[in-house]
């Protein structure tokens, strides 16, 4: 396969993300690159890629766009339990379980790579750096879920929203998707409310409070953090659980 510059730029967030967790070998990177480009898929906004109860037989890696993991109660109420950003996978080892316990949907138009289970298992079996990087990603996802549980269970509304904004900014930074102190924020207030366990009215009031404190500007699908350290203090946020800086 002949790779163009645009092809390589499409998969670059994946390698930036994985390399924050484990340095990839040249062979591992090349093998994964070919596998992803052979399995390119596109989806529109608000499409379910995986539904609760589905059997998973492939690994999906997000190249562009925002996705979310969510669960829905019988009465239709939705809880977003995590976001999935470019460079991240939709559970690299989910195929080891019989069925999915949650759904994954696009929040924006998205491009992703679908690597079938046999191909993925061959990739990680033949290259230790790939295997370790994807296992590290799984462990970080677990850490993120623990932090979200604390967010919903113990932080007050302002801390919750501030913490989410800090996490989004810090997770987008390693994949080159921040511009100075700004990053894209292409999701709706309903999405943010469903991620923080707040009503839309309460979410809006909390965002206005953060604005009034001079901590953020949220305008035209862009989040600007005026003082990152102050926002982290307000959120009781420490980025250590994201494991962005590997040893050495």
């Amino acid at each position: 396969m002949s790779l163009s510059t645009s092809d390589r730029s499409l998969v670059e967030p994946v390698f930036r993300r994985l390399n924050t967790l484990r340095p990839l070998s040249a062979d591992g990177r090349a093998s994964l690159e070919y596998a992803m480009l052979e399995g390119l898929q596109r989806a529109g906004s608000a499409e379910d890629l995986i539904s609760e109860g589905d059997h998973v037989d492939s690994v999906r890696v997000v190249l562009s766009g925002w996705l979310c993991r969510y669960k829905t109660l019988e009465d239709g109420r939705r809880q977003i339990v995590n976001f999935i950003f470019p460079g991240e996978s939709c559970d690299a080892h989910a195929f080891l379980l019989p069925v999915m316990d949650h759904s994954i949907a696009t929040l924006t138009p998205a491009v992703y790579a679908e690597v079938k289970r046999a191909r993925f298992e061959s990739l990680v079996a033949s290259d230790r750096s790939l295997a370790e990087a994807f296992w590290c990603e799984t462990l970080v996802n677990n850490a993120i879920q623990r932090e979200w549980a604390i967010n919903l269970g113990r932080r007050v509304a302002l801390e919750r929203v501030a913490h989410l904004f800090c996490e989004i900014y810090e997770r987008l930074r390693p994949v080159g998707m921040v511009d100075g102190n700004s990053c894209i924020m292409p999701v709706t207030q309903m999405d943010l409310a469903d991620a923080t366990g707040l009503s839309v009215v309460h979410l809006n009031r909390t965002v206005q409070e953060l604005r009034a404190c001079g901590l953020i500007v949220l305008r035209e699908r862009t989040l600007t953090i005026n003082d990152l350290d102050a926002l982290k203090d307000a959120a009781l946020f420490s980025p250590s659980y994201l494991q962005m800086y590997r040893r050495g």
Side-chain angles (χ1 to χ4, degrees):
M1 181 189 297
S2 177
L3 299 178
S4 68
T5 301
S6 60
D7 288 333
R8 292 186 183 280
S9 64
L10 191 61
V11 299
E12 189 59 30
V14 178
F15 298 118
R16 288 190 178 197
R17 172 65 181 142
L18 292 179
N19 270 308
T20 64
L21 302 171
R22 280 294 185 274
L24 298 181
S25 70
D27 288 343
R29 175 181 172 122
S31 298
L32 180 60
E33 187 170 58
Y34 279 114
M36 289 191 295
L37 291 174
E38 286 178 351
L40 285 183
Q41 305 287 334
R42 298 181 185 273
S45 182
E47 289 187 21
D48 276 351
L49 300 189
I50 306 170
S51 296
E52 185 173 353
D54 283 355
H55 172 69
V56 178
D57 64 352
S58 60
V59 176
R60 294 170 177 85
V61 184
V62 181
L63 306 182
S64 70
W66 283 32
L67 284 67
C68 72
R69 308 175 194 274
Y70 75 93
K71 292 181 73 75
T72 305
L73 299 179
E74 292 183 1
D75 61 6
R77 285 175 292 168
R78 180 184 68 161
Q79 178 68 49
I80 291 177
V81 297
N82 203 348
F83 292 123
I84 308 174
F85 299 129
E88 300 177 351
S89 72
C90 302
D91 294 315
H93 302 92
F95 55 73
L96 295 173
L97 299 175
V99 296
M100 286 290 288
D101 71 316
H102 64 282
S103 301
I104 296 178
T106 58
L107 295 171
T108 69
V111 179
Y112 64 98
E114 189 169 301
V115 182
K116 292 299 183 182
R117 173 178 182 168
R119 182 74 175 277
F120 181 78
E121 289 183 320
S122 176
L123 287 172
V124 296
S126 62
D127 191 275
R128 179 174 177 175
S129 70
L130 278 180
E132 290 188 353
F134 277 108
W135 273 117
C136 283
E137 189 200 35
T138 297
L139 294 172
V140 170
N141 283 338
N142 291 340
I144 290 172
Q145 293 304 152
R146 288 189 288 272
E147 201 66 32
W148 278 50
I150 295 171
N151 227 27
L152 294 175
R154 284 292 177 261
R155 293 189 177 97
V156 299
L158 186 137
E159 293 169 344
R160 287 187 204 180
V161 178
H163 196 280
L164 180 61
F165 287 164
C166 288
E167 181 182 290
I168 289 172
Y169 180 85
E170 293 289 3
R171 286 170 66 184
L172 291 177
R173 191 194 331 228
V175 295
M177 300 193 70
V178 303
D179 182 8
N181 60 341
S182 298
C183 64
I184 61 168
M185 184 64 67
V187 294
T188 67
Q189 288 205 349
M190 176 64 77
D191 296 328
L192 293 174
D194 285 351
T196 53
L198 303 171
S199 69
V200 174
V201 172
H202 198 176
L203 183 280
N204 182 62
R205 187 184 305 124
T206 304
V207 170
Q208 295 301 330
E209 186 177 354
L210 289 169
R211 281 174 170 154
C213 293
L215 294 174
I216 68 161
V217 176
L218 187 57
R219 182 186 302 125
E220 296 178 351
R221 298 161 65 89
T222 299
L223 170 68
T224 299
I225 300 175
N226 295 327
D227 187 332
L228 182 58
D229 288 338
L231 188 65
K232 287 180 177 180
D233 287 343
L236 308 177
F237 179 87
S238 170
S240 59
Y241 68 100
L242 298 174
Q243 304 289 338
M244 294 180 298
Y245 307 105
R246 63 175 182 263
R247 287 177 298 174

